[in-house]
Amino acid sequence: MNYRKFSENYAKEIGGEFREYDEKQSVIIVPLKRGRFQTVTGHIATHAGYDREVVHLKSKVCELSYDIPFQECLEASKDYPYTKFVAEDGFLKVEAINFLVNLKDEMVKEMIQEIANHADDWELKITGKDIH
C-alpha cells in the first residue's frame, strides 16, 4: 500500500484536507457530524521487533490531566475494533497500528474513521470543545 497516495485520495473522498509533512508523515483533517473536525496523523515507521513497516494512525483527545476518566476510557477501548487509548507527549490520544503489508484500503478507511470519531467523542466529553 502507498499510504501517502491513499491518504491524499481518501481526504478528497470524504471532503477533508490532506497535508504531507514528508514521505513518512501526513495528516488528514476528517470532517465529522455537527460541523466538527478531527485531525488524524499517519506515520510510517519500521517496527524494530519485526523489521517490517507499520503505519501509526493517531489523533489527540486532550492534554493529560488528573481529571480525565482514565478507567472509563480503558473500559471503552474493549469495544473498539481497531483503536486504543494511549498517553504520549503530554496528550491522551486514540491510536491504531498495523503492518503496512496487511492493510487494504477499506480497512484503513475504517481505522481512520474510528480514530476520528472516538477521539472527537472523548474530546467533547472531556473538554466540551472541538480542539484537535
Side-chain angles (χ1 to χ4, degrees):
M1 163 181 261
N2 181 332
Y3 180 75
R4 186 215 161 280
K5 189 67 175 164
F6 166 84
S7 297
E8 187 174 12
N9 290 337
Y10 186 56
K12 288 177 189 172
E13 179 182 320
I14 62 172
E17 292 180 40
F18 171 79
R19 295 184 187 144
E20 181 179 39
Y21 289 102
D22 58 38
E23 61 186 48
K24 298 282 188 180
Q25 293 187 95
S26 60
V27 170
I28 298 175
I29 312 270
V30 180
L32 301 170
K33 295 177 184 173
R34 303 179 308 267
R36 295 173 63 85
F37 295 87
Q38 195 67 27
T39 302
V40 176
T41 62
H43 176 78
I44 306 297
T46 300
H47 189 283
Y50 292 94
D51 196 30
R52 293 184 352 202
E53 284 192 319
V54 293
V55 63
H56 293 261
L57 301 170
K58 300 178 188 178
S59 187
K60 291 179 183 176
V61 174
C62 62
E63 288 188 38
L64 288 174
S65 68
Y66 290 105
D67 59 343
I68 294 172
F70 289 107
Q71 183 172 344
E72 198 176 336
C73 292
L74 292 173
E75 288 172 355
S77 286
K78 72 178 176 18
D79 297 323
Y80 304 155
Y82 298 110
T83 60
K84 62 185 176 188
F85 284 97
V86 296
E88 180 183 67
D89 300 328
F91 289 92
L92 177 65
K93 298 179 181 182
V94 176
E95 171 185 69
I97 301 171
N98 208 323
F99 292 107
L100 205 54
V101 297
N102 293 342
L103 295 177
K104 305 288 185 240
D105 288 1
E106 288 306 310
M107 177 189 278
V108 181
K109 290 176 184 181
E110 289 174 351
M111 291 168 72
I112 290 170
Q113 287 303 139
E114 182 176 302
I115 289 168
N117 286 320
H118 291 308
D120 186 66
D121 289 347
W122 283 93
E123 176 185 65
L124 181 59
K125 182 176 185 165
I126 294 168
T127 70
K129 300 175 184 176
D130 188 14
I131 301 168
H132 304 286

